[in-house]
Amino acid sequence: MQLNETTQEYEIGGVSVLELTHQFGTPLFVYDSATIVSQYQKMTSALSGVPRLKINYACKALTNLTILQLLHSLGAGLDAVSYQEIRLGLKAGFEPNDIIYTPNSVSIEELEAAVALGVKVNIDNIETLEYMGVHHPKTPICIRVNPHIMAGGNANISVGHIDSKFGISIHQMPLVKRLVETLHINIEGVHMHTGSDILDVDVFSHAATLLFDVAKQFDNLQYIDFGSGFKVQYKPDDIETDMEQFGEMMTTRFNDFCEETGQELTLMFEPGKYLVSESGHFLARTNLIKQTTSTVFAGLDTGFNHLIRPMFYGSHHTIKNVSNPAGKPKIYTVVGYICETDTFGWNRRINQIKEGDILCFLNAGAYCFSMASNYNSRYRPAEVLVHQGKAHLIREREVFEDLVRNQPLPSLNFGQN
Ligand SMILES: *Cc1c(COP(=O)(O)O)cnc(C)c1O
């Protein structure tokens, strides 16, 4: 979001934010296609020295079909964690072979359905590996390795440590090898994903060393998938993953590995947040300004039903008053309308807010709409994509019919007996 110096209005991709709220109402998610394109290109250019590179968008971050189509048009593949995400990907135009399915704790029925669609399968436990070897000996498999390193911004989003439920322990590789040899399983890839918000490029480097060691144990490997964990900026003084430094380190190490082992492998990543977080803006209207003995509350026409990250894992979203770009900053506690503690931010310096003002949450592209619910029987917001200076509605705001459509009303006799 930028302030247009001439009009003194905030804009997203050249479109006035206030106009977007007039046209589409609030609360509203707005994505800027140019940011997604530039994040994707930052990654591919940092890794341009790798002969075979594939970026699979981890679509659980934001699954809107138009966003999927955009990433497809850029040449991305897809990382899906559910059968439904696979189907969304296929609908958006991805080929099955461009989709890698990374399930955890799913039923055999779901696994079978995914295999039937012909997608790449990333296996995350020994039992499932054995099942695949017995029932689908021809299907190439990727194995998800748990390297047991503590990486990532907080315990909820760090998934590679010793207590994590994800992946096959790196210490179980002898067992994996035995199964692979006995059942003639075709291991085409090895994968790890250690968590989100990894600050330090050295953590990736350490993980790479471990995964290369695993990779050496398989003869028919096609790719090595380093998952994600790239950090984005939430506040002006935050550090984000230094993509150039990361790219240099990975390029050298990956190319060396291929040369050393005489293999022509594909290097894969599966970023979610890095590609879409900054493209997203969440716009809400101020319904209430309430001075209490301890703070000034700004109450919005939304809540954690639409943006759960602050309440769920303490995420910071910068909040700006779009309606008062030149106003004097004051301290506010910004809250939602849900009938439970529902705080978006404590003690935030925001340009003076009055009732009716539009506030904008930044970094609202990843894990925002995709985690939204109908709690309190509210409608989920509309989504808009700004592309080449024009706003396009890419998801309609829900209506009452959406809340009741799946509720048959059997004629039961609830009268007094
Ligand atoms: C969630 C997830 C990702 C994406 O993580 P980000 O932090 O959004 O980049 C990648 N791979 C797997 C397997 C995931 O579960």
Side-chain angles (χ1 to χ4, degrees), residues 401 403-412 414:
E401 184 51 39
L403 299 182
V404 296
R405 75 164 81 248
N406 297 327
Q407 301 187 56
L409 285 168
S411 53
L412 305 175
F414 293 132

Side-chain angles (χ1 to χ4, degrees), residues 57-63 85 271-273 276 365-371:
Y57 168 52
C59 70
K60 72 179 187 289
L62 175 62
T63 42
E85 284 187 353
K273 190 183 288 178
V276 298
Y367 307 106
C368 293
F369 188 94
S370 66
M371 287 192 179

Side-chain angles (χ1 to χ4, degrees), residues 58 60-61 79 81 102 144 191 193 195-197 227-230 270-274 367:
K60 72 179 187 289
D79 177 72
V81 293
T102 302
R144 178 174 188 172
H191 163 277
H193 171 67
S196 266
D197 288 358
S228 181
F230 308 105
E270 37 184 48
K273 190 183 288 178
Y274 187 81
Y367 307 106

Side-chain angles (χ1 to χ4, degrees), residues 126-230:
I126 300 270
E127 241 93 311
T128 316
L129 183 66
E130 188 166 355
Y131 176 89
M132 287 299 294
V134 171
H135 294 91
H136 299 281
K138 295 222 170 66
T139 302
I141 299 286
C142 177
I143 49 173
R144 178 174 188 172
V145 178
N146 186 332
H148 304 307
I149 52 178
M150 188 70 192
N154 75 47
N156 293 327
I157 53 178
S158 177
V159 294
H161 54 83
I162 192 94
D163 294 327
S164 170
K165 67 170 179 164
F166 297 100
I168 298 175
S169 167
I170 199 157
H171 306 304
Q172 286 177 305
M173 284 310 126
L175 177 54
V176 169
K177 275 217 81 174
R178 179 159 306 179
L179 280 175
V180 166
E181 277 159 18
T182 314
L183 297 171
H184 308 289
I185 303 171
N186 176 8
I187 301 293
E188 64 167 359
V190 292
H191 163 277
M192 68 164 64
H193 171 67
T194 48
S196 266
D197 288 358
I198 300 171
L199 295 176
D200 196 344
V201 167
D202 289 344
V203 172
F204 287 108
S205 177
H206 177 50
T209 304
L210 296 173
L211 198 55
F212 286 146
D213 275 346
V214 173
K216 278 184 193 148
Q217 304 177 31
F218 301 101
D219 299 331
N220 295 318
L221 223 54
Q222 304 292 316
Y223 56 88
I224 303 184
D225 185 338
F226 283 95
S228 181
F230 308 105

Side-chain angles (χ1 to χ4, degrees), residues 68-139:
L68 300 186
Q69 285 181 338
L70 170 62
L71 281 147
H72 181 247
S73 78
L74 295 173
L78 206 67
D79 177 72
V81 293
S82 70
Y83 177 70
Q84 291 79 357
E85 284 187 353
I86 297 172
R87 292 200 48 196
L88 288 172
L90 294 173
K91 192 170 168 69
F94 289 88
E95 294 295 324
N97 195 39
D98 272 337
I99 302 176
I100 179 160
Y101 171 58
T102 302
N104 175 263
S105 184
V106 303
S107 68
I108 287 296
E109 289 76 13
E110 176 168 326
L111 184 69
E112 285 287 356
V115 170
L117 291 177
V119 298
K120 293 194 167 79
V121 184
N122 192 7
I123 294 298
D124 131 307
N125 71 77
I126 300 270
E127 241 93 311
T128 316
L129 183 66
E130 188 166 355
Y131 176 89
M132 287 299 294
V134 171
H135 294 91
H136 299 281
K138 295 222 170 66
T139 302

